[in-house]
């Protein structure tokens, strides 16, 4: 009789192959080739310029994880997860699947044992930099892929969390480190009484300006470029930090929070969207426990000197910056919203 624990460990150790298979499926555009139809392997191969036997083997590897299903021998349909790999799906994860299978990501994660045993940051040995952001700024194509993947994450995690908050008392919001502006766009679209400012590095804000203009928000949202570790724009009652603190060590995080606290009015608030390392374990779609924050922490360990923090660690950062945790929203969700006020 098979030992269930041993079989489960076999499954877990094979996940990295499945991750690459999902990445290949996304990168080759197979989900888009299905459209809304059942397709034969030969049809899909012709539509994606793939070798039929190779494609058949890829498809069969993904039947057990919900990406595709084999309707009859050689005839396939998209599964629920496969639908989310179409580029026209409103919650498309296609770009995230491509990002997670990028060679540079895998090269860095190969050094995970070294990081665990020595405390060293693998990205320094692999890519010659202390932070993945520094490297991406010099790699236009990799940066494009990364930004697209982060848009997928925003759609799935950050935006639903951000929209769960009650903004009726908010008048102006500054999104610090707001990237391409997807989260701020969603907030402003859902709350037409709010105006905003997106603040990020000068190399990023031009793309963000296009995002906001495309959303019809150019008249309600300005864009500013600068260094958030030097200063942040003043004149707002609300400041948003979405997936920003997780990218920085304590010293940088306190400096950033202190800059926000310096311009925060007495009645103002700071909204922090981040993962908590100590919320209760979620149950993933497989039925087995999955804790997103603790998994993302491996990325932070390999890609820089930051980490996913516990509630107590966040509160320590806030206190050092002259802020206090006022309320915690969605504490059991993969992404938590923390509301801060002046201390």
């Amino acid at each position: 009789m098979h030992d269930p624990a041993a079989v489960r460990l076999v499954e877990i150790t094979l996940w990295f192959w499945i991750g690459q298979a999902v990445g290949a499926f996304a990168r080759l555009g197979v989900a888009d080739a299905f459209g809304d139809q059942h397709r034969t392997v030969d049809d899909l191969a012709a539509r994606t310029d793939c070798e039929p036997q190779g494609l058949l083997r890829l498809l069969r590897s993904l039947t057990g994880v919900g990406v595709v299903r084999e309707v009859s021998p050689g005839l396939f349909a998209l599964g629920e997860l496969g639908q989310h790999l179409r580029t026209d799906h409103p919650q498309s994860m296609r770009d995230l699947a491509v990002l997670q299978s990028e060679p540079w990501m895998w090269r860095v994660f190969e050094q995970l044992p070294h990081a665990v045993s020595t405390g060293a940051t693998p990205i320094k040995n692999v890519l010659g930099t202390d932070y993945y952001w520094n490297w991406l700024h010099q790699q236009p194509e990799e940066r494009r892929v990364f930004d697209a993947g982060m848009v997928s994450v925003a759609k799935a995690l950050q935006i639903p969390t951000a929209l769960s908050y009650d903004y009726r008392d908010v008048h102006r919001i500054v999104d610090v480190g707001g990237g391409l502006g997807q989260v701020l766009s969603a907030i402003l679209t859902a709350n037409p009484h709010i105006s905003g400012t997106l603040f990020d590095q000068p190399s990023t804000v031009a793309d963000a300006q296009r995002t906001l203009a495309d959303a019809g928000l150019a008249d309600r949202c300005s864009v500013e470029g600068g260094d958030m570790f030097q200063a942040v724009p003043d004149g707002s009652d609300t400041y948003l930090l979405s997936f920003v603190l997780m990218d920085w060590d304590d010293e940088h995080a306190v400096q950033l929070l202190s800059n926000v606290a310096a311009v925060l009015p007495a009645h103002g608030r700071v909204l922090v969207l981040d993962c908590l390392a100590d919320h209760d374990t979620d149950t993933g779609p497989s039925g087995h426990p999955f804790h997103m924050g603790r998994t993302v922490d491996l990325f932070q360990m390999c890609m820089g000197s930051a980490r996913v923090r516990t509630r107590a660690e966040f509160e320590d950062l806030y206190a050092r910056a002259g802020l206090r945790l006022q309320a915690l929203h969605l504490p059991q969700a993969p992404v938590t919203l923390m509301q801060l006020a002046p201390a």
Side-chain angles (χ1 to χ4, degrees), residues 150-309:
M150 290 303 98
V151 170
S152 295
V153 172
K155 290 178 182 178
L157 299 175
Q158 293 158 268
I159 289 174
T161 301
L163 293 182
S164 72
Y165 186 75
D166 184 351
Y167 293 90
R168 72 182 69 183
D169 296 327
V170 173
H171 300 289
R172 184 168 187 83
I173 185 167
V174 175
D175 188 354
V176 180
L180 298 181
Q182 277 75 23
V183 178
L184 184 57
S185 292
I187 293 172
L188 296 181
T189 299
N191 297 275
H193 67 284
I194 300 176
S195 61
T197 297
L198 188 140
F199 181 72
D200 210 312
Q201 299 181 48
S203 60
T204 300
V205 294
D207 290 333
Q209 198 157 23
R210 286 192 290 272
T211 299
L212 294 162
D214 290 345
L217 297 169
D219 60 334
R220 283 201 287 133
C221 189
S222 61
V223 174
E224 294 186 30
D227 182 352
M228 62 187 180
F229 297 112
Q230 295 296 320
V232 299
D234 60 7
S236 176
D237 57 90
T238 302
Y239 287 80
L240 174 66
L241 298 172
S242 179
F243 275 30
V244 174
L245 296 180
M246 67 165 59
D247 276 341
W248 299 101
D249 58 29
D250 287 357
E251 180 181 355
H252 283 90
V254 170
Q255 181 61 58
L256 170 56
L257 288 165
S258 297
N259 291 343
V260 173
V263 297
L264 189 67
H267 64 281
R269 76 197 82 189
V270 183
L271 304 179
V272 176
L273 271 65
D274 220 304
C275 297
L276 285 181
D278 56 345
H279 78 63
D280 290 342
T281 302
D282 298 323
T283 298
S286 67
H288 296 279
F290 174 74
H291 196 296
M292 180 173 168
R294 296 173 191 173
T295 304
V296 171
D297 196 36
L298 297 178
F299 176 90
Q300 301 299 351
M301 180 163 52
C302 290
M303 295 292 177
S305 57
R307 67 184 186 279
V308 174
R309 297 175 173 91

Side-chain angles (χ1 to χ4, degrees), residues 23-263:
F25 185 89
R27 198 180 297 270
L28 293 168
V30 183
D32 286 344
F34 272 97
D36 295 317
Q37 306 294 321
H38 296 177
R39 302 281 183 186
T40 66
V41 172
D42 287 340
D43 184 9
L44 290 170
R47 291 169 177 267
T48 57
D49 196 26
C50 290
E51 193 275 322
Q53 273 301 114
L55 182 58
L56 174 62
R57 295 166 75 174
L58 177 68
L59 293 170
R60 283 180 173 166
S61 75
L62 295 174
T63 56
V65 293
V67 174
V68 296
R69 55 190 177 89
E70 193 166 10
V71 179
S72 60
L75 182 67
F76 289 85
L78 277 180
E80 182 180 3
L81 299 188
Q83 294 288 348
H84 283 73
L85 293 171
R86 290 174 55 164
T87 56
D88 61 353
H89 193 285
Q91 294 287 330
S92 176
M93 295 292 108
R94 184 264 178 191
D95 292 327
L96 180 62
V98 171
L99 170 62
Q100 297 292 59
S101 62
E102 282 283 276
W104 68 271
M105 295 271 281
W106 286 78
R107 292 203 311 272
V108 175
F109 268 89
E110 285 176 351
Q111 303 297 314
L112 179 60
H114 179 68
V116 173
S117 61
T118 68
T121 302
I123 196 170
K124 183 73 171 180
N125 293 335
V126 179
L127 301 179
T129 184
D130 292 324
Y131 292 99
Y132 68 96
W133 277 114
N134 294 338
W135 183 78
L136 285 171
H137 283 317
Q138 307 302 319
Q139 310 292 329
E141 177 56 23
E142 286 80 1
R143 173 66 185 272
R144 183 195 65 77
V145 173
F146 183 87
D147 286 347
M150 290 303 98
V151 170
S152 295
V153 172
K155 290 178 182 178
L157 299 175
Q158 293 158 268
I159 289 174
T161 301
L163 293 182
S164 72
Y165 186 75
D166 184 351
Y167 293 90
R168 72 182 69 183
D169 296 327
V170 173
H171 300 289
R172 184 168 187 83
I173 185 167
V174 175
D175 188 354
V176 180
L180 298 181
Q182 277 75 23
V183 178
L184 184 57
S185 292
I187 293 172
L188 296 181
T189 299
N191 297 275
H193 67 284
I194 300 176
S195 61
T197 297
L198 188 140
F199 181 72
D200 210 312
Q201 299 181 48
S203 60
T204 300
V205 294
D207 290 333
Q209 198 157 23
R210 286 192 290 272
T211 299
L212 294 162
D214 290 345
L217 297 169
D219 60 334
R220 283 201 287 133
C221 189
S222 61
V223 174
E224 294 186 30
D227 182 352
M228 62 187 180
F229 297 112
Q230 295 296 320
V232 299
D234 60 7
S236 176
D237 57 90
T238 302
Y239 287 80
L240 174 66
L241 298 172
S242 179
F243 275 30
V244 174
L245 296 180
M246 67 165 59
D247 276 341
W248 299 101
D249 58 29
D250 287 357
E251 180 181 355
H252 283 90
V254 170
Q255 181 61 58
L256 170 56
L257 288 165
S258 297
N259 291 343
V260 173
V263 297

